[in-house]
Amino acid sequence: MDFNELFLSDTKALFLGDQEENMAAYLYSTPDPNIENDPANGEVCYMELISQNLGYYLYKEEIQLINNVAKKIAAYVPPEANIIEFGPGTDIAFQNKTLPFLKAVEKFQSYIPVDVCETYLHQTQEILGRELPEIPVQIMQDDFIKNVELVQNFPKPVVFFKGSTVTNLSISNCLKFFGRISQALQPDGILIVGVDANQNESSLRKAYNDGRMAKVALSILYFINRDLPVSGFDPTAFNYEFNWVAETHCVEHNIRATEDQNFVLDGIPINIKKGTKFHLLSSYKYPVDYFQNQAIKGGLKPIDYFVDENQRMVIHVLGVS
């Protein structure tokens, strides 16, 4: 199933009420150059979020943490490893987060970036060709959550998974992901994963509830309207709502319909009433012990972890049990 098929499938599941918190993969849309002021611009909105919102600590603190502990993380990478990155992201994210880690690794076989965004993959390939030209690069355009088994194609895999992306999964899907990747990493693979452990509601609100995250989330609706077979859909007829659920360590990113709406999606009539809420995606904030216990349930073995000075961002090193 290609990207557009996945996008359509997940959008149907959301609006038909079959699934929720399933739209994180579609946050980083890029504008169509043929559309003036294209509002399907999640990547631009995200860059505004991280650059203009002083309370959005995640990006800055993960950069600091990776740069501070890159050598310690790299010590767990065997010389013959193939480093597979789940979601290299923008060129800036790659240069500030991934590159310091890769440069700290003394020797490895190859680098395999996996992303649904082809632009990110080619940017990554270009930067690495300039910075580490001796390292073979094999780009893969794929959904690494749905197709985690791709790890099995590489001997001695080390999966690098920055950006707290794993915490966009529901708790049940996170556990399933751990179960599947623990099998894919057999017998001696490693998962290096970044997580946000913050439990302070005040700082979470400053990070997410200032209007810029709303633009990021709502850009998905314009992406739907632009790229999917839909008619009669009004992406402006929704508001963003932040909700922190301390019991499940979850920041919910919801949208709520501001008016009745009837539209057709891939031939399917969909009727939405004013006030209907859709749980678009989540940002889970897992304390260290909780995350490690979930990893153990999924067949992984905690090896080490590193925490930033503000005790929020964490990098876990996990092996297979």
Side-chain angles (χ1 to χ4, degrees), residues 46 58 62 66 97 161-168 194-195 313:
Y46 177 68
L58 294 87
E62 188 174 48
I66 290 174
K97 297 181 183 181
F161 196 9
K162 66 179 187 287
S164 291
T165 306
V166 70
T167 60
N168 293 141
V195 175
M313 302 308 295

Side-chain angles (χ1 to χ4, degrees), residues 155-176:
K156 296 195 179 296
V158 172
V159 175
F160 184 58
F161 196 9
K162 66 179 187 287
S164 291
T165 306
V166 70
T167 60
N168 293 141
L169 300 175
S170 67
I171 293 175
S172 61
N173 283 337
C174 184
L175 191 57
K176 290 176 185 175

Side-chain angles (χ1 to χ4, degrees), residues 45-119:
C45 295
Y46 177 68
M47 295 308 294
E48 289 178 359
L49 173 68
I50 64 176
S51 63
Q52 298 177 14
N53 179 1
L54 298 179
Y56 191 78
Y57 60 88
L58 294 87
Y59 188 81
K60 306 176 192 73
E61 290 186 4
E62 188 174 48
I63 288 175
Q64 292 170 354
L65 178 58
I66 290 174
N67 280 267
N68 287 340
V69 302
K71 290 184 179 179
K72 293 179 180 179
I73 301 170
Y76 290 103
V77 179
E80 64 275 24
N82 289 285
I83 298 178
I84 306 161
E85 178 162 19
F86 283 179
T90 66
D91 54 350
I92 297 173
F94 178 79
Q95 290 184 76
N96 288 333
K97 297 181 183 181
T98 306
L99 202 54
F101 164 65
L102 295 179
K103 287 184 173 180
V105 180
E106 290 189 6
K107 185 180 179 183
F108 58 101
Q109 292 284 78
S110 68
Y111 170 72
I112 304 97
V114 188
D115 208 301
V116 294
C117 179
E118 189 175 10
T119 301

